[in-house]
Amino acid sequence: MGEAAEISPREAEVLELVGDHLSNAEIGARLYISVRTVETHVSSLLRKLDVPDRRALARCATERTRPDRQRPAPALPMRLTSFIGRESERATLTTMLKEHRQVTAVGPGGVGKTRLALAVAADAADEFADGVWFVDLVPVTDPGMIATAVAEALGLGEQLGHDMAESVTVALADRHALLVLDNCEQVVDGAALFLERLLAACPQVRVLVTSRSRLMVPFERVYPVPSLSLSLSLPSADDSEDGDDSKSGEGGESSVAGGSDAVALFIDRATSVGRPLDPAQHDQVAEICVRLDGMALAIELAAARYATLGLDGITAALAHPLRMLTGGSRAQDRHRSVRAALDWSHNLLDPADRTLLRRVSVFVTPFTATAAAEVTGLDAATVVDGLARLAEQSLLVVTFAPDGTRYRALETLRQYGSDRLSEAGELHETQARHLHWCLARSAELAAPRADWRARFDQAADELRAALAWAESRTEQRSDAYRLARAMAELAFTRHLIAESQQRYEQAAALASTPADAASMFRHAAAVAACRLHGDDMYRLNRAAADVARRAGDTAAAARDLAAAASNAYRFSSKFVTQLPPEEADALITEARELVGADPSARAAVALAEAGRSLTRAIGSTHTLSTSTSTSTSTGPTEASDEATPTADSPGGPTVQEAIASAERAVELAHLEKDPLAESAALDTLAGALSWAGDAFAAAATARRRVELLSSAPDVPVGPAGTHELIEALGEATEAALGVGDLPGARQWARRLAEHPQLAEVGHRATGWLLVADTLAGDTDQALTTGLRFRDAWQRAGRPARAVLGPPAAAMATIHGLRDDQEARRDWSTLLAQVDPSPWNTRGYGAVFDAILMLHQGRPEAALERTAPEPGQVRQWTTWIWLHWYVALRAEASVLAGAPDASTRLEKARTSVVGNPVATALVERAAALLDADTTRLVATASAFEAAGCRYQSARTLTLAGGEHAARGARALTDLGLAPMAIR
């Protein structure tokens, strides 16, 4: 790495987070800046630090921000107390972790599994180049949420088109990392499935699990965690042990010498409360540890009482309950030992503190004193004092955060408290208060704030736990519905869209009225659309229709059935299983029978009929949507090879009839003042107009669609509105490119790239912005945006999608224009990966190749690349690329000296009328043919006015003389290599 320029404080912050492997979206959320601002900082850092890519930047971050370490700092909970002993166990477990990819440390609650795992993970941190990560599964009760918990620990978001497990495996696919999954016992089956998927896809990842039971999978290696040693071997002075599940801050290493590990732990903890033990008392301590079977948690609790009871008091208190521990296996004895120690500690509390301890057990995450007062129903002053006393007795762990002091019961203690809550007959009442507290928190989260994301992440597990308790209780059904709906909305805002869909479906199942259930199914369908899951979208539309029909709401059922059909037409490439035409016909027929006099239902059916009409008119069973920018939807530019836009299907409707049908759907939706329905109808109309060859009308329609969604006051801001706007922005961008409106295309593309719902999928968000910037000649912006595109594409698992082809081709072209052949080869390889289809070879690929070939002074090659007549390739150039193809073909003909150049020019001039960029290309070619320098130079101004700086600079260079020098300077200013002139 060469000498780097000085970086700013903000760039230093970004660099450190890049080193922690956060995505641009995660960095933006952490620093409260936009993704685009992060991209700018990353691009600047790449230049300043003289490194080629983000991976190298991450390595540089490690060296620069942590010069004393060669590996990222392990993301492990800090310890408040020292770790005692366990030398043999640490060595054995470390060796197993080196030899096996998944090791499970098993043992009863309180034996010390968590602290042992944390110690081993800390010891192994330097072995893992990409870090060590701790995942607390205590709050996770739904096996399907394990991947979400892991993603949150890693700072990852969900990738569109992937479930959360896929997003995690993609992010870890090439990382050498260690995951510690703590307390898996309540989600054993889910953990097994997740780990099998993770380890298969991530060859360099290793996993250390703690659980009370093994996962029962073939690749698992089990290590039974023993109790602390009771023999009189000397422990190491720098080792220490704590109770199971203690995840608090860093403390000094123990200096206790002599005795067993169990004795050393007791002495260390007893000394920490201010009463050192005399060596003569060690035998008595050893007797207490034997009574407690060497269980770490039990020893911790007993030692916490030493300052007030002394050894004699502890011995007397433990004598009676432990005499009852007879019979059963050794493991059962250990469970009883912990229970006895917990019973003993519990019985020493005053009644108010007992009540507080059992009631706070409903919290699954750290809680504040204020929250405890609300949920326990106790006086605030009593709660504050009681929490302090419980913490003093090691029954609660205290953590300090910027937003205040928080408390947490270790998992074993929490389960004990829950048992006591049931025994006291207070479980239902306390859980109900907890549920209401969670409902209030969800309402607070509905209000936007700068720290919203952090607040949601802090509260999410608590809300999930409350919902899990409430959903199975009939008397709580109404509140459970409210919380499920709130969680669905919040998860969508947090971009956890898979969970959002799950919660909407959960809310539908909990709804007390058919109307509410149908509404939740509709929202779930819209989220499925955002996830690019067409099959789910269809299933949920049908589910909404079934609920509405059973309730007698035939109009609503008609709307849902029509939506199922029209969505299948508009977004067919989001479907794994394509909807058969006869099934779509049956849906429309059934919907029409149910319409009655309801105008909104009539509008919905009209939209479905318009979709069917256009599909039949173009002779394709593919989608009608022209928007391909952020979804896998295909439009005319991605239709099937059999599609023939120049001829209507025999016996079917004509494209003009499809246009009329779509216009009727638009009119009906407009009359209903339903902006989402009107937007959907405008989408279909734009598709019909493009297939009819009226690119300008299609562009105007696409623009009208975006303006409608951007300005109408009653546009829903939830999943349906979000999905419709994203699709509309993509369509408007493409349409503007197709008619040469580069400023408009860049405007819409920039809005798309900055849409928060696409923060985790930069390759989809930025694709058309890359294309627009490249065609405009904004090299610096394209190169910066290309970083986000490529990084996001790699993080998403390098998907192969035709929609990703144009931006990849654009980036290959930019690097070709810069004469960076190595970078061009990289992007050309990426292009071949994402789209080897005819849309690349005969459509947009021909356009970008021709631009580069003409720049390189190879008009014959450009002419050969565009050899097919426009009519032959129209199915791959319709909508965006036709005008560009025709104009570049004409220019190549002139520069190559083709005998029919004049004829091609005249045909091209007629074809591109109204397109400022394509018209200027054709007029420039005509001026070159006529050797008319004045006309030629005039086209440079036309390009400049059209926002096409590259073509303006190229024109001046072609003009020669003094103009050529200006053109060369302009190309240099754009960061491009000189043109080759023959």
Side-chain angles (χ1 to χ4, degrees):
M1 185 176 67
E3 187 67 27
E6 183 178 353
I7 65 174
S8 69
R10 176 63 87 186
E11 287 173 338
E13 292 178 313
V14 172
L15 179 62
E16 183 172 4
L17 295 176
V18 169
D20 289 337
H21 298 281
L22 270 66
S23 69
N24 286 348
E26 296 292 338
I27 294 172
R30 186 77 61 87
L31 299 179
Y32 303 111
I33 57 178
S34 71
V35 171
R36 191 176 179 195
T37 301
V38 177
E39 292 167 1
T40 302
H41 287 314
V42 169
S43 179
S44 175
L45 286 165
L46 288 170
R47 291 194 300 270
K48 289 183 176 181
L49 300 179
D50 191 24
V51 292
D53 54 32
R54 194 183 184 97
R55 184 182 297 277
L57 193 62
R59 290 195 295 268
C60 180
T62 300
E63 297 167 3
R64 190 179 182 100
T65 62
R66 288 185 285 267
D68 58 326
R69 294 186 58 87
Q70 296 302 310
R71 296 289 185 267
L76 301 172
M78 296 179 65
R79 301 180 309 195
L80 286 176
T81 53
S82 54
F83 185 85
I84 302 293
R86 298 285 201 188
E87 283 190 355
S88 173
E89 293 93 325
R90 287 167 76 169
T92 301
L93 199 50
T94 298
T95 299
M96 291 180 69
L97 200 56
K98 289 179 179 178
E99 296 174 350
H100 306 289
R101 295 192 57 210
Q102 194 256 296
V103 177
T104 303
V106 299
V111 76
K113 301 183 297 295
T114 297
R115 288 299 298 270
L116 176 61
L118 288 172
V120 170
D123 291 344
D126 286 341
E127 303 295 323
F128 294 92
D130 292 310
V132 176
W133 306 87
F134 180 84
V135 185
D136 181 10
L137 295 180
V138 168
V140 180
T141 56
D142 180 355
M145 296 300 295
I146 292 175
T148 298
V150 175
E152 289 174 352
L154 294 171
L156 300 174
E158 182 177 347
Q159 294 277 353
L160 290 184
H162 296 293
D163 60 23
M164 192 60 88
E166 288 174 316
S167 297
V168 170
T169 56
V170 164
L172 294 177
D174 60 351
R175 292 199 197 180
H176 184 208
L178 171 65
L179 292 183
V180 181
L181 301 187
D182 190 39
N183 288 290
C184 283
E185 53 269 359
Q186 77 276 19
V187 284
V188 166
D189 292 339
L193 291 173
F194 171 75
L195 289 178
E196 183 172 9
R197 191 172 178 179
L198 177 76
L199 294 175
C202 307
Q204 298 187 85
V205 170
R206 295 188 180 243
V207 181
L208 176 58
V209 170
T210 74
S211 177
R212 296 189 184 186
S213 60
R214 60 172 297 181
L215 303 187
M216 302 295 289
V217 289
F219 50 83
E220 176 183 38
R221 292 299 179 268
V222 177
Y223 176 73
V225 178
S227 299
L228 290 170
S229 67
L230 297 169
S231 64
L232 295 181
S233 61
L234 293 177
S236 169
D238 62 351
D239 290 333
S240 44
E241 173 60 72
D242 198 357
D244 193 26
D245 303 303
S246 181
K247 302 158 189 163
S248 46
E250 187 70 37
E253 295 301 323
S254 172
S255 60
V256 175
S260 65
D261 285 350
V263 170
L265 175 62
F266 188 102
I267 293 171
D268 181 83
R269 300 305 188 254
T271 302
S272 69
V273 299
R275 286 191 59 182
L277 283 91
D278 188 277
Q281 297 176 296
H282 289 189
D283 287 344
Q284 195 173 359
V285 170
E287 181 183 347
I288 292 172
C289 291
V290 169
R291 288 180 177 276
L292 295 174
D293 280 320
M295 297 296 283
L297 177 59
I299 293 170
E300 292 268 4
L301 295 173
R305 289 288 179 180
Y306 170 67
T308 55
L309 295 179
L311 295 183
D312 291 342
I314 293 173
T315 301
L318 290 177
H320 177 68
L322 291 180
R323 282 199 299 269
M324 299 170 58
L325 301 177
T326 57
S329 68
R330 182 67 175 165
Q332 289 173 328
D333 286 345
R334 289 176 181 168
H335 280 294
R336 290 169 179 166
S337 298
V338 174
R339 174 71 188 203
L342 292 173
D343 284 342
W344 166 67
S345 292
H346 178 266
N347 292 336
L348 292 174
L349 298 174
D350 64 42
D353 287 351
R354 293 180 198 173
T355 300
L356 178 60
L357 179 64
R358 64 177 178 262
R359 291 185 184 177
V360 297
S361 69
V362 297
F363 288 103
V364 298
T365 60
F367 55 89
T368 63
T370 301
E374 291 183 43
V375 171
T376 61
L378 300 173
D379 174 75
T382 300
V383 168
V384 171
D385 290 342
L387 292 175
R389 285 191 295 273
L390 293 174
E392 289 171 0
Q393 302 303 325
S394 297
L395 294 169
L396 292 178
V397 174
V398 184
T399 59
F400 301 97
D403 60 345
T405 303
R406 291 180 177 269
Y407 302 85
R408 181 177 185 176
L410 306 182
E411 180 58 12
T412 302
L413 285 163
R414 197 181 71 81
Q415 292 178 5
Y416 175 84
S418 182
D419 291 343
R420 284 291 190 173
L421 199 59
S422 296
E423 293 167 5
E426 298 174 351
L427 179 61
H428 185 277
E429 181 183 356
T430 307
Q431 288 280 22
R433 282 196 297 268
H434 180 254
L435 174 61
H436 293 150
W437 179 82
C438 286
L439 282 167
R441 298 295 77 71
S442 68
E444 290 174 3
L445 287 168
R449 271 177 37 179
D451 60 346
W452 183 91
R453 180 169 174 153
R455 291 169 58 234
F456 171 83
D457 290 348
Q458 192 174 67
D461 282 330
E462 211 66 64
L463 304 184
R464 290 167 183 145
L467 182 55
W469 173 79
E471 69 172 334
S472 61
R473 286 160 176 79
T474 304
E475 71 280 6
Q476 300 293 342
R477 189 179 185 90
S478 175
D479 285 338
Y481 164 76
R482 289 170 54 210
L483 186 54
R485 179 172 183 169
M487 275 297 292
E489 295 167 353
L490 294 170
F492 186 81
T493 302
R494 177 60 176 80
H495 313 318
L496 299 174
I497 54 177
E499 182 177 4
S500 178
Q501 180 183 328
Q502 174 193 350
R503 300 303 177 193
Y504 274 123
E505 293 193 52
Q506 188 176 19
L510 292 166
S512 58
T513 68
D516 284 340
S519 175
M520 294 299 99
F521 278 130
R522 292 179 196 117
H523 284 307
V527 178
C530 292
R531 297 180 65 209
L532 315 182
H533 286 204
D535 299 77
D536 276 0
M537 179 169 49
Y538 178 75
R539 170 180 61 82
L540 293 162
N541 283 142
R542 294 296 304 266
D546 290 343
V547 171
R549 185 164 37 200
R550 286 197 301 271
D553 190 348
T554 56
R559 289 194 297 271
D560 293 325
L561 291 170
S566 60
N567 287 339
Y569 289 129
R570 293 177 66 205
F571 310 117
S572 72
S573 67
K574 295 179 181 179
F575 283 70
V576 175
T577 304
Q578 293 294 314
L579 187 68
E582 58 274 15
E583 187 171 340
D585 287 344
L587 288 173
I588 295 173
T589 299
E590 188 177 358
R592 178 157 289 287
E593 291 171 352
L594 296 172
V595 162
D598 185 86
S600 62
R602 286 169 48 222
V605 172
L607 174 60
E609 291 176 334
R612 177 173 61 184
S613 178
L614 181 54
T615 297
R616 291 178 176 176
I618 64 177
S620 170
T621 58
H622 284 62
T623 182
L624 313 181
S625 173
T626 54
S627 177
T628 64
S629 59
T630 55
S631 71
T632 54
S633 298
T634 56
T637 55
E638 292 184 34
S640 67
D641 288 354
E642 292 73 30
T644 309
T646 56
D648 298 319
S649 301
T654 65
V655 173
Q656 291 303 320
E657 289 171 339
I659 292 172
S661 181
E663 288 175 336
R664 178 172 178 271
V666 172
E667 180 182 2
L668 289 173
H670 182 73
L671 289 173
E672 281 303 295
K673 294 181 170 52
D674 184 342
L676 295 187
E678 187 175 351
S679 170
L682 287 169
D683 179 30
T684 301
L685 177 58
L689 290 167
S690 79
W691 279 107
D694 194 343
F696 296 97
T701 302
R703 187 166 56 250
R704 175 183 165 190
R705 183 185 175 201
V706 173
E707 291 168 351
L708 167 71
L709 294 170
S710 302
S711 61
D714 50 350
V715 176
V717 295
T722 297
H723 177 243
E724 200 66 35
L725 178 59
I726 287 173
E727 294 286 331
L729 288 170
E731 181 179 75
T733 301
E734 298 174 46
L737 288 171
V739 297
D741 179 11
L742 289 179
R746 297 178 77 187
Q747 173 190 351
W748 307 129
R750 195 167 291 111
R751 281 188 60 186
L752 190 66
E754 294 173 353
H755 197 289
Q757 194 59 236
L758 300 178
E760 304 295 341
V761 281
H763 55 304
R764 296 187 182 279
T766 61
W768 287 112
L769 182 58
L770 275 177
V771 173
D773 286 341
T774 297
L775 294 174
D778 192 339
T779 308
D780 286 344
Q781 184 60 52
L783 293 175
T784 298
T785 306
L787 293 172
R788 180 183 175 194
F789 178 92
R790 186 167 195 139
D791 177 56
W793 176 72
Q794 291 171 337
R795 286 176 177 271
R798 297 174 169 82
R801 302 282 190 185
V803 68
L804 304 177
M811 288 305 298
T813 300
I814 277 287
H815 287 294
L817 294 173
R818 298 175 69 239
D819 199 25
D820 185 343
Q821 297 308 316
E822 182 178 356
R824 171 168 167 73
R825 282 192 295 272
D826 285 346
W827 281 97
S828 296
T829 300
L830 191 158
L831 171 59
Q833 286 181 258
V834 299
D835 185 19
S837 76
W839 293 273
N840 175 6
T841 56
R842 306 179 196 177
Y844 66 83
V847 169
F848 282 111
D849 284 351
I851 290 173
L852 179 57
M853 290 168 177
L854 290 171
H855 183 90
Q856 295 170 334
R858 301 165 55 210
E860 292 84 2
L863 185 59
E864 182 179 354
R865 191 70 176 87
T866 57
E869 292 289 335
Q872 293 178 272
V873 295
R874 190 178 175 198
Q875 67 195 88
W876 298 291
T877 56
T878 291
W879 181 242
I880 304 175
W881 304 110
L882 184 60
H883 290 175
W884 294 89
Y885 184 92
V886 168
L888 290 166
R889 186 172 184 265
E891 181 175 333
S893 300
V894 170
L895 292 175
D900 60 347
S902 180
T903 302
R904 290 188 178 188
L905 274 174
E906 288 308 311
K907 288 182 178 179
R909 183 178 281 115
T910 301
S911 298
V912 303
V913 171
N915 183 321
V917 178
T919 296
L921 286 169
V922 173
E923 292 306 319
R924 182 176 68 191
L928 287 168
L929 183 64
D930 296 339
D932 188 336
T933 302
T934 301
R935 285 169 53 203
L936 182 60
V937 172
T939 62
S941 298
F943 282 122
E944 196 73 36
C948 195
R949 295 171 60 202
Y950 164 68
Q951 293 296 349
S952 177
R954 173 173 164 74
T955 301
L956 294 173
T957 306
L958 289 169
E962 62 180 19
H963 303 297
R966 287 171 52 207
R969 287 195 300 271
L971 289 173
T972 300
D973 290 343
L974 292 174
L976 303 179
M979 281 173 47
I981 304 294
R982 293 193 321 180

